[in-house]
Amino acid sequence: MQQVNLGMIGGGTVGSGVFHALQQNGDLMAARLGVKIAFRKIAVKAFDEPRPYLIPRALMTTDWQEVVNDPQIHVLIELVGGTGIARVMILAALAQGKTVVTANKALVSMHGPELFAAAAKQGANLYYEASVCGGIPIIKSLREGFVANQFSAIYGIVNGTCNYILTRMKLEGVDFAVVLADAQKQGYAETPPDLDIDGFDAQHKTGILASLAHGFWVDHHNIQTEGIRDVSKIDMQFAEKLGYTIKLLGIIKRVSPKSAIQVSVYPTLIPNAHVLASVNGVFNACFVRGDVVGDTLFYGRGAGKDATASAVLSDVADAALDLKNGGKVRVPPFVAHAKRGQVVPMDEIISRYYVRLSVVDRPGVLAKISAIFSAAKIGISSVIQPEGHEGESVPLILMLHDAPNAAMRKALAKIAKLPVIKSKPVMFRVETLD
Ligand code: NDP
Ligand code: HSE
């Protein structure tokens, strides 16, 4: 049987998970693929770092170039992370015609076109299944399973750390900082975890999905990105009362004209009755609406050593089959097929809104606020104000009808300046997912 030799750079959470999974199921993979897959070298930064799974010292090196330059290595797996040295490593491997497998969403999102061009130049491939939604085969599904579809909407819970934090805050009332420390301990969070919390990891993943689905590379600067720092337990409670759950949602939606899409990431109120509202903990989910297939849903672990290893090894299998068959026999990892692709600026997007204000409980306050919304042509659909004592500061919750984001932004800026407003207004958008 033919053998494909792997080199890997990075033997941390995901890297050691990949090594372990191949030890566990390598024979099964060989039986399924008709190709043996074996590790030849693994580069790490320091031999003695603690790793979730042991990697034999004999396989390890601290010189990544030794891996890239080894002519016996056919496929390089990059599991270092970041957009600096990892880019250099991948370009060096592609320049030698090696196929590369990566889980590095930051790098693919920011340098995708450069990396795909480098791969194409050498007749190699760059696979990146593990970069989005951990163990869920969403990249392969968009690329191959849904090849006959145009996508009107994709909604994704794509960051395991944020979903883990929001879920535990909601269900157990645990404080943000405590849950974050726990997510870090479990190996879910990025280094630094701000990448997760501030929405950038979800931005990278949503951008990759949008690019793949719509056939033009979405520049991450064009993705409206808001993280979960402003989500508090009180918002979760009010959202629940109104029939909603707050999730950090990646949104990719066709808007008119037909070639234009919304691509964004922000904490979003979604109906409790929708299946995405029940996606809890580190789990991710992706709701894909295709014009031929209709609605589909993908669900699975979005982070962690084992789930991510499963995705990395599925790419390794594709790379091994490419080698076995002496060519590429499947839909390429990225095809720029759109003639005119365009991301619509957030200001032009129409949304519904949840707004929480901290107001002085005094007659006439609501009238002042609703006058500003009314002047901006933004309709109020419901109001909740818990009873307080006159003159005290109380929360005022408003649900608002469809309006452009620019109008909402300007109205909120005016409201924030009213003397009766006691802290910065909190605003989240609402998606009905219809
Ligand atoms: P870790 O920090 O656990 O591992 C990084 C690895 O890279 C370590 O083994 C480190 O060596 C090695 N490394 C760093 N610099 C060098 C270098 N110059 N030369 C050789 N080796 C080097 O990260 P993760 O495993 O969590 O993440 C890896 C990638 O996977 C990232 O792109 C991440 O975004 C992505 N990812 C992570 C997921 C997760 O759940 N953790 C899920 C999906 C994707 P040493 O061990 O000696 O320090
Ligand atoms: N930090 C990422 C997350 C890892 O929490 O989703 C998986 O990509």
Side-chain angles (χ1 to χ4, degrees):
M1 196 187 270
Q2 222 176 313
Q3 177 165 314
V4 166
N5 294 327
L6 305 179
M8 183 158 74
I9 315 182
T13 304
V14 182
S16 72
V18 171
F19 180 77
H20 174 78
L22 190 68
Q23 273 189 316
Q24 188 177 307
N25 287 341
D27 289 345
L28 175 66
M29 284 181 70
R32 284 175 172 158
L33 299 169
V35 186
K36 270 191 202 154
I37 297 171
F39 269 108
R40 192 170 154 84
K41 246 174 233 155
I42 299 174
V44 293
K45 205 164 173 190
F47 289 127
D48 297 327
E49 275 298 307
R51 307 173 195 291
Y53 296 113
L54 195 79
I55 298 176
R57 182 70 173 259
L59 273 179
M60 286 206 270
T61 170
T62 51
D63 177 6
W64 64 266
Q65 307 216 30
E66 220 186 283
V67 181
V68 168
N69 294 328
D70 184 337
Q72 303 290 325
I73 287 176
H74 309 112
V75 177
L76 179 92
I77 307 175
E78 180 276 311
L79 295 171
V80 170
T83 54
I85 188 73
R87 175 175 159 272
V88 178
M89 292 163 172
I90 290 181
L91 288 173
L94 291 173
Q96 301 208 17
K98 292 189 200 308
T99 279
V100 174
V101 171
T102 181
N104 192 335
K105 51 266 162 146
L107 185 66
V108 175
S109 160
M110 290 189 199
H111 297 280
E114 179 194 20
L115 300 176
F116 290 117
K121 196 171 159 198
Q122 299 299 331
N125 255 335
L126 172 71
Y127 287 112
Y128 52 101
E129 182 64 68
S131 68
V132 184
C133 287
I136 304 173
I138 186 66
I139 302 281
K140 195 162 187 157
S141 300
L142 288 180
R143 200 176 84 218
E144 295 188 341
F146 294 146
V147 68
N149 286 266
Q150 300 190 53
F151 303 101
S152 55
I154 299 176
Y155 300 104
I157 296 174
V158 294
N159 185 271
T161 302
C162 287
N163 205 43
Y164 183 77
I165 293 173
L166 293 177
T167 303
R168 292 200 54 197
M169 278 172 70
K170 180 180 170 184
L171 300 182
E172 300 168 38
V174 191
D175 281 333
F176 190 98
V178 175
V179 201
L180 172 59
D182 207 7
Q184 287 176 290
K185 222 187 300 165
Q186 312 251 16
Y188 303 153
E190 299 299 308
T191 316
D194 310 56
L195 275 172
D196 297 293
I197 305 310
D198 293 323
F200 294 107
D201 179 75
Q203 176 202 74
H204 299 148
K205 293 167 175 170
T206 304
I208 292 171
L209 292 182
S211 305
L212 186 59
H214 291 280
F216 68 98
W217 203 258
V218 171
D219 186 327
H220 64 280
H221 294 108
N222 294 337
I223 304 176
Q224 174 76 15
T225 303
E226 297 162 23
I228 62 166
R229 285 186 203 271
D230 287 344
V231 182
S232 63
K233 282 188 246 173
I234 182 172
D235 294 311
M236 291 180 165
Q237 286 157 2
F238 280 116
E240 178 73 27
K241 269 192 193 160
L242 291 158
Y244 295 93
T245 297
I246 304 179
K247 294 287 183 193
L248 184 71
L249 203 65
I251 299 173
I252 303 160
K253 244 196 314 193
R254 258 196 206 289
V255 289
S256 58
K258 218 182 156 214
S259 54
I261 49 173
Q262 171 188 352
V263 187
S264 52
V265 171
Y266 39 71
T268 310
L269 273 74
I270 59 172
N272 279 334
H274 195 278
V275 64
L276 284 181
S278 318
V279 175
N280 286 330
V282 73
F283 282 84
N284 280 189
C286 222
F287 179 88
V288 178
R289 182 168 290 150
D291 59 345
V292 181
V293 71
D295 290 353
T296 59
L297 183 75
F298 295 78
Y299 172 81
R301 275 181 192 279
K305 56 191 188 314
D306 301 317
T308 313
S310 167
V312 170
L313 286 175
S314 98
D315 280 349
V316 167
D318 279 358
L321 288 177
D322 289 345
L323 289 164
K324 180 186 171 198
N325 297 319
K328 289 168 272 174
V329 290
R330 53 182 55 80
V331 184
F334 175 69
V335 184
H337 58 77
K339 290 201 183 70
R340 284 183 305 276
Q342 183 200 339
V343 176
V344 177
M346 197 63 204
D347 269 0
E348 293 172 27
I349 298 289
I350 311 279
S351 310
R352 291 187 197 176
Y353 307 88
Y354 159 101
V355 170
R356 176 169 56 83
L357 304 170
S358 178
V359 300
V360 180
D361 195 359
R362 179 184 302 158
V365 169
L366 187 55
K368 284 197 176 86
I369 293 163
S370 56
I372 293 177
F373 280 131
S374 168
K377 298 193 170 51
I378 303 175
I380 298 175
S381 59
S382 66
V383 178
I384 304 179
Q385 189 193 323
E387 276 186 35
H389 296 290
E390 190 157 333
E392 246 183 20
S393 196
V394 287
L396 175 69
I397 316 302
L398 301 146
M399 294 294 280
L400 301 161
H401 285 299
D402 278 344
N405 275 257
M408 185 64 191
R409 186 169 49 73
K410 288 176 195 157
L412 272 188
K414 282 187 190 157
I415 288 169
K417 286 189 191 137
L418 292 173
V420 291
I421 300 294
K422 289 300 161 200
S423 56
K424 189 176 161 240
V426 172
M427 181 277 282
F428 300 122
R429 298 171 189 86
V430 180
E431 277 290 332
T432 55
L433 307 164
D434 296 333

